[in-house]
Amino acid sequence: MTKLRAALLGSTGAVGQRYLAMLSRHPTIELDILMGGDSAGRAYGEAAHWLSSEDIPERFADRKILATDPHNAQGCDVVFSALPAEAASTVEPEFAKAGLTVISEASAHRLEEDVPLMIPEVNPDHLGLLGSQRKRRGWSGSLVTTPNCTVTGLAMVLKPLSDSFVLRRAIVTTMQAVSGAGFPGVPSLLITENVIPYIRGEEEKVADESRKILGAREEGRVRSADLQIAISCNRVPVIDGHVETLYAELGRDLEPEDAVDCLNRFRGEPQELGLPSAPGQPVIVRPEPDRPQPRLDRLSGSVPGMSVVVGRVRKGLSRDSIQLTLVSHNTIRGAAGTAVLTAELMHSKGQLGR
Ligand SMILES: NC(=O)c1ccc[n+]([C@@H]2O[C@H](COP(=O)([O-])OP(=O)(O)OC[C@H]3O[C@@H](n4cnc5c(N)ncnc54)[C@H](OP(=O)(O)O)[C@@H]3O)[C@@H](O)[C@H]2O)c1
């Protein structure tokens, strides 16, 4: 398989930095072009507020950041976008119109009916929307999105449950890491020694995006899943790794062990195809009563940060319900990792590259 040449929009941000780490040694994707906003024209190492304890990959430290312009990505097989939603709303369609395939982290286009909202293990068939997207919009390129960081871990747990049972209702409470707000993010005086019980727009995103991802593809659109979700989102003083508690009503009687078995057995196309960023086990269930914890579990699995870790699986109030807790790495599985895995899936299906 030939290597894909990639560009990255929003390269200096919290998510952009994860791309650099994930792609610095990637076997089939060569990250070549870094773009930015205010930082354009500067060397990456000078412009980025590097957040990881690992150094900036050497090959990118002196790389000049280019202006965010489709001309600067000509010849690239894929453009990853880690732009804020406002910039993404106009910039990403310009890139797609210019013939480029954009895979975006931003919320701006996620719910448009001809735009796939992808988690490769959950809804690989939604990539089938791209034919009608190109036709309808007259684009030679295309636009694919990945979900909000809170949705990804949740949908990866809901998918196997909805395949094995009849998922009717979910009640979710989140404890979300500060890196989910990007850089510089939440002021330290607000979050230190505190919990903030509101994240603007987040609860609506989690419900709408989860229903779309779990929905069925029809002619040129996705029919959202018929699922009631009640959700409360909280920001907590954790750096990386979102924690979510889930109460799910599953339409028929079950024991917690049935849910554990179903989650542990879950595999998707990325595992079948052996894609480089696919974790061997997308959902890992831990038996200890005090796991999962973000600090201990966010990098679990064969590809660090790409598995969702579940624990505390127990009975709910009725015989058809269960409760559990999950941890998912918000900037890896919740952002750059899912986008890279989507590119790998598209590449393996001949939808990317020459
Ligand atoms: N953080 C997470 O856990 C997470 C998870 C899933 C999805 N997301 C989404 O991913 C996107 C990026 O998030 P983030 O946390 O990395 O944000 P961030 O830390 O604020 O970074 C934003 C990046 O976008 C660039 N940028 C800003 N305005 C621009 C413009 N007008 N034109 C071109 N570039 C511009 C910035 O470059 P300069 O510094 O050069 O201006 C910076 O590189 C957002 O849409 C966010 O909602 C984030």
Side-chain angles (χ1 to χ4, degrees):
M1 205 182 263
T2 53
K3 268 198 163 190
L4 297 175
R5 184 169 171 251
L8 173 60
L9 316 184
S11 61
T12 57
V15 173
Q17 296 183 20
R18 281 289 173 199
Y19 277 102
L20 263 67
M22 287 198 77
L23 295 178
S24 62
R25 292 178 295 268
H26 196 281
T28 58
I29 302 174
E30 178 84 37
L31 178 57
D32 200 20
I33 306 289
L34 305 181
M35 296 195 201
D38 294 343
S39 58
R42 299 174 66 195
Y44 189 87
E46 282 169 25
H49 297 269
W50 189 252
L51 298 169
S52 169
S53 54
E54 282 176 34
D55 287 346
I56 297 177
E58 211 179 312
R59 48 197 283 246
F60 297 121
D62 297 330
R63 189 78 56 95
K64 187 176 164 189
I65 301 171
L66 302 184
T68 301
D69 183 320
H71 288 109
N72 288 332
Q74 282 314 319
C76 287
D77 301 297
V78 60
V79 177
F80 294 106
S81 169
L83 288 175
E86 200 183 327
S89 65
T90 52
V91 168
E92 290 172 355
E94 283 169 19
F95 276 69
K97 203 169 161 189
L100 295 154
T101 299
V102 180
I103 302 181
S104 169
E105 306 290 343
S107 60
H109 302 285
R110 286 180 191 145
L111 295 177
E112 291 169 13
E113 72 172 16
D114 56 356
V115 175
L117 178 56
M118 294 302 303
I119 303 175
E121 285 92 342
V122 174
N123 59 348
D125 64 307
H126 289 197
L127 286 172
L129 293 175
L130 292 179
S132 47
Q133 182 193 90
R134 282 193 202 103
K135 209 150 113 193
R136 192 179 298 170
R137 302 192 188 219
W139 289 347
S140 49
S142 54
L143 175 59
V144 175
T145 56
T146 58
N148 172 285
C149 45
T150 308
V151 173
T152 313
L154 178 65
M156 285 176 65
V157 167
L158 293 179
K159 170 68 176 169
L161 294 175
S162 73
D163 283 350
S164 298
F165 304 95
V166 188
L167 180 63
R168 296 183 195 286
R169 218 141 72 117
I171 301 172
V172 181
T173 299
T174 73
M175 286 145 271
Q176 299 181 216
V178 286
S179 63
F183 186 86
V186 191
S188 56
L189 277 180
L190 293 183
I191 195 66
T192 306
E193 206 196 321
N194 204 9
V195 171
I196 300 172
Y198 177 64
I199 303 173
R200 188 157 58 89
E202 193 82 350
E203 290 161 4
E204 296 81 354
K205 279 182 202 159
V206 176
D208 292 343
E209 293 180 21
S210 300
R211 283 194 278 261
K212 178 171 178 179
I213 292 162
L214 295 171
R217 181 166 65 88
E218 291 176 337
E219 201 56 34
R221 62 184 287 273
V222 170
R223 182 168 38 82
S224 288
D226 183 14
L227 168 65
Q228 290 183 297
I229 305 182
I231 173 147
S232 309
C233 292
N234 305 282
R235 186 76 69 195
V236 298
V238 165
I239 292 177
D240 288 320
H242 289 351
V243 181
E244 303 176 40
T245 62
L246 167 68
Y247 182 99
E249 292 177 4
L250 294 169
R252 67 176 170 79
D253 293 1
L254 80 161
E255 295 299 323
E257 298 72 39
D258 300 328
V260 168
D261 188 46
C262 152
L263 293 169
N264 270 328
R265 278 191 292 106
F266 176 51
R267 302 287 184 276
E269 272 190 35
Q271 286 70 37
E272 281 162 27
L273 294 166
L275 300 178
S277 304
Q281 196 172 332
V283 180
I284 298 169
V285 184
R286 295 204 63 113
E288 303 89 332
D290 60 352
R291 301 287 281 273
Q293 300 177 19
R295 220 171 53 199
L296 299 182
D297 295 310
R298 61 193 169 206
L299 293 174
S300 294
S302 58
V303 181
M306 287 297 283
S307 291
V308 181
V309 181
V310 167
R312 307 214 58 225
V313 184
R314 59 205 192 280
K315 285 180 196 266
L317 293 174
S318 55
R319 291 211 303 232
D320 72 342
S321 63
I322 53 145
Q323 305 180 75
L324 56 80
T325 301
L326 68 92
V327 162
S328 154
H329 197 301
N330 53 295
T331 58
I332 302 181
R333 178 45 96 159
T338 290
V340 169
L341 192 58
T342 300
E344 292 170 3
L345 182 67
M346 293 176 74
H347 195 196
S348 77
K349 289 175 183 285
Q351 291 174 309
L352 274 185
R354 285 139 289 174

